[in-house]
Amino acid sequence: MTMFRRGIIGALIVAAPLAALPATAQPAKKAPPPPAPPAAATPAPGNADLAYGAYQRGFYLTAFNEATRRAQQNDPAAMTLLGEIYTQGVAVPRDEAKAADWYRRAAGLGDANAMFALAMLDIQGRGIPRNFDEAMRMLQDAASRNHPLACYDLGLLYLQGQQVQQDFKRAAELFATAAGIGNPEAQYALATMYKEGRGVDKDQAKAMVLMGQASIGGNLDAMVEYAIGRFNGTGVPKDEADAAQIFLRAARLGSPIAQNRLARILMAGRGMAANPTEAIKWHIIAKAAGSGDPDLDAFAGQQPQAVRDAADQAAKKWMATAAGLRS
C-alpha cells in the first residue's frame, strides 16, 4: 500500500475564472510552490506483512525486529520498511544515512517505493550528499514501474523543464499514469493540461472529468475549479446547487477563492438559499485571507447592524477554530 504525498515540487495550480457568477475579482494564477521536504515512501507489504502491519499499528519495535529478520533474507519490502523506520526515527534513533543505505539496497532489488524514497533523500541531501543524477535515475526507474508519486513528480519536472528538457507530451503521459492509479494531484495537473491544450489536445470535457476525480480525491484547487465549471456549465452539466455544495466543502477546507464564491452565492441566493449573515461571514473569512471583494463590502454595508455583528462573531469563531487546528 502506497500513501499518496504531494511529492517534491507540489501541486500544479492554475486557477480559473468564475464567469457566470456575479462579478468579482478573478483568482490569479499561482506559480508552483518550491520543493517540499522529502518524504519516504510507505513500503508495500510484500513478504513483510507482519512487519508492515505492526508499523501501521504503531508497534514500531516489533516492526523493526521483523523487518530486520526479513531484510536478512533479501526481502526488498522489509528493507524499504527499515528505511522508513530510520527516516522517521521510530523504534531507533533517526538516521537518514542508514535509511538511504536500506533504500538503496531495496532499490537494487527492484522496489519502486525504495527508489522513490531514495530520490527524495537525494534531492534534499538528507543524510547523504545531494545527488540529482541519482535522484533522476531513481525517479525514472520508479516511474517505469508505475509508481504514482514518481510519475507525478517526474511529470512536474518535464512540465517545468527542471533537470530534464521541457516536454509537455511526456509530462502528460506521466500524469496520466499517476492519475489512472488515483493520484489526485496528477489528476488535477493533467486536467489543467487538457484545459490549456499543452501536451494533449485541448478538451474541456476531459479536463472536467479529471477535475471531478481530483476533487473527490481531496485536491482543494480541483474542488474550486470543478465547482466553477459546475456552476457555469463549462465542460460539465450545469448544476448551481451541486456547485454550491462543492464551494462549501472547499471553503470549510480553507480555500479563500471558495470562501469568496460561497459568499457571493449566499448573497445572490443562487445554488442555495440567500443568507446575508452567512454571506458576510464567509466574506470576512475570505477577505482576511486576501480575497477581498468590493461588491460584498457594499452588500455588507447595506445590512442591519445585528446581521453584521452576527456575521463578524461567526467569522471570528470559525477563524479561531481553523487556527487552532493548524497549530
Side-chain angles (χ1 to χ4, degrees):
M1 180 182 297
T2 301
M3 295 178 65
F4 293 141
R5 296 182 172 92
R6 273 195 175 275
I8 57 176
I9 297 177
L12 177 67
I13 301 173
V14 183
L18 187 54
L21 280 179
T24 187
Q26 302 298 337
K29 288 192 175 185
K30 308 174 192 175
T42 302
N47 292 326
D49 290 343
L50 178 59
Y52 183 74
Y55 182 83
Q56 288 290 82
R57 294 193 302 274
F59 300 129
Y60 299 123
L61 186 58
T62 299
F64 176 76
N65 290 334
E66 179 63 17
T68 299
R69 185 181 70 81
R70 291 281 191 177
Q72 292 170 350
Q73 301 171 5
N74 283 333
D75 183 334
M79 294 175 183
T80 302
L81 179 54
L82 285 174
E84 175 81 356
I85 288 171
Y86 276 110
T87 298
Q88 301 301 325
V90 292
V92 295
R94 178 175 294 178
D95 189 332
E96 287 167 327
K98 285 186 178 179
D101 181 60
W102 281 115
Y103 288 142
R104 193 169 286 112
R105 290 161 74 172
L109 294 173
D111 189 283
N113 287 309
M115 294 170 187
F116 177 76
L118 182 58
M120 299 299 95
L121 294 182
D122 281 325
I123 286 169
Q124 293 292 325
R126 288 176 51 185
I128 53 176
R130 286 188 177 184
N131 188 333
F132 288 105
D133 289 339
E134 181 179 63
M136 287 301 300
R137 286 196 302 274
M138 291 296 102
L139 283 177
Q140 295 277 9
D141 285 349
S144 72
R145 290 165 170 78
N146 292 337
H147 188 284
L149 289 181
C151 290
Y152 171 64
D153 282 348
L154 196 58
L156 287 176
L157 294 176
Y158 275 106
L159 182 70
Q160 299 177 356
Q162 296 183 22
Q163 303 301 123
V164 292
Q165 185 173 351
Q166 191 172 55
D167 187 334
F168 293 150
K169 183 178 179 181
R170 180 59 178 147
E173 291 170 349
L174 288 160
F175 289 148
T177 297
I181 300 170
N183 184 296
E185 277 68 49
Q187 290 164 346
Y188 178 61
L190 184 59
T192 64
M193 299 190 81
Y194 273 113
K195 281 183 63 178
E196 298 175 2
R198 289 197 298 172
V200 291
D201 293 336
K202 192 170 185 177
D203 190 322
Q204 187 71 25
K206 284 185 179 179
M208 294 311 295
V209 168
L210 287 160
M211 286 292 182
Q213 292 171 351
S215 175
I216 292 170
N219 184 290
L220 191 54
D221 301 299
M223 288 182 205
V224 173
E225 293 208 40
Y226 187 69
I228 291 170
R230 200 83 164 111
F231 194 97
N232 297 332
T234 306
V236 66
K238 182 180 178 69
D239 189 330
E240 292 185 358
D242 185 48
Q245 292 303 312
I246 299 170
F247 278 129
L248 176 60
R249 180 184 173 204
R252 287 172 172 169
L253 289 172
S255 166
I257 297 173
Q259 291 160 356
N260 171 263
R261 296 322 194 251
L262 180 61
R264 296 190 70 85
I265 283 171
L266 289 162
M267 175 180 70
R270 293 178 58 185
M272 60 175 57
N275 187 325
T277 303
E278 282 291 293
I280 298 170
K281 179 191 92 170
W282 285 112
H283 170 52
I284 292 169
I285 294 167
K287 191 172 182 179
S291 186
D293 190 322
D295 289 343
L296 283 163
D297 284 336
F299 173 77
Q302 296 166 1
Q303 303 309 307
Q305 187 64 46
V307 171
R308 297 201 302 271
D309 289 345
D312 185 63
Q313 289 300 313
K316 287 178 179 176
K317 182 178 179 180
W318 190 93
M319 289 188 286
T321 301
L325 293 174
R326 289 194 299 268
S327 63

